């Protein structure tokens, strides 16, 4: 089993797909990594040699911000916005949509389950 950036990659999947299990690596970056290291993307993780896994691990460590460091950076960016008190920071504080979506209806993912208001029905 290949372990890269603290994540166990699924052995039966293709290398390109398995790399996307790492937080911070999507399909485009996975394709970029496989082409940079000239690893055939159709190969499975269990077909990789130890040296290839080591190359992948070193490339990711050197060139990409992934997993814990990326999560920490995103959290710090949000905290900075909240401390500044800018509009986006206030929306994060209140748990409302940040990017201009409507809140009259929808926005249930950010606002949570609907709360009944007493005496609203006529």
């Amino acid at each position: 089993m290949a372990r890269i950036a603290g994540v166990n990659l699924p052995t039966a999947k293709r290398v390109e797909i398995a790399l996307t299990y790492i937080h911070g690596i999507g399909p485009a970056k996975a394709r970029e990594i496989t082409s940079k290291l000239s690893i055939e993307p159709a190969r499975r993780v269990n077909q990789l040699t130890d040296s290839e896994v080591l190359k992948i691990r070193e490339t990711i460590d050197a060139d990409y911000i992934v997993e814990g460091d990326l999560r920490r950076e995103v959290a710090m960016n949000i905290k900075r916005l909240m401390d500044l008190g800018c509009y986006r920071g206030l929306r994060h504080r209140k748990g409302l949509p940040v990017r201009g979506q409507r809140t009259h209806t929808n926005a249930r993912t950010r606002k949570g389950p609907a709360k009944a208001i007493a005496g609203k029905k006529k």
Side-chain angles (χ1 to χ4, degrees):
M1 178 170 284
R3 187 170 174 84
I4 298 173
V7 177
N8 293 329
L9 298 183
T11 54
K13 293 198 183 284
R14 292 172 46 223
V15 176
E16 221 172 57
I17 303 302
L19 284 174
T20 63
Y21 279 62
I22 300 169
H23 181 76
I25 295 180
K29 284 187 182 175
R31 211 170 299 117
E32 187 181 304
I33 291 167
T34 53
S35 65
K36 188 188 293 183
L37 298 175
S38 64
I39 295 171
E40 205 175 310
R43 285 177 61 196
R44 305 286 169 166
V45 174
N46 55 13
Q47 296 171 341
L48 291 176
T49 63
D50 290 338
S51 63
E52 287 173 328
V53 172
L54 187 65
K55 279 184 198 171
I56 292 171
R57 191 177 296 130
E58 287 171 350
T59 304
I60 289 172
D61 287 343
D63 301 339
Y64 300 97
I65 301 171
V66 292
E67 284 300 325
D69 294 335
L70 180 63
R71 291 180 205 273
R72 193 175 311 107
E73 189 176 309
V74 169
M76 291 302 293
N77 288 340
I78 292 171
K79 187 178 181 316
R80 178 180 50 82
L81 290 171
M82 288 165 57
D83 291 344
L84 281 173
C86 64
Y87 182 79
R88 280 172 59 202
L90 295 176
R91 302 297 283 184
H92 273 291
R93 256 191 241 165
K94 292 177 182 176
L96 292 170
V98 177
R99 297 186 176 178
Q101 296 91 332
R102 64 180 289 131
T103 56
H104 179 71
T105 59
N106 305 335
R108 280 289 142 222
T109 303
R110 282 293 297 194
K111 290 168 73 173
K115 296 175 252 339
I117 300 169
K120 179 77 173 175
K121 216 190 316 185
K122 283 192 175 179

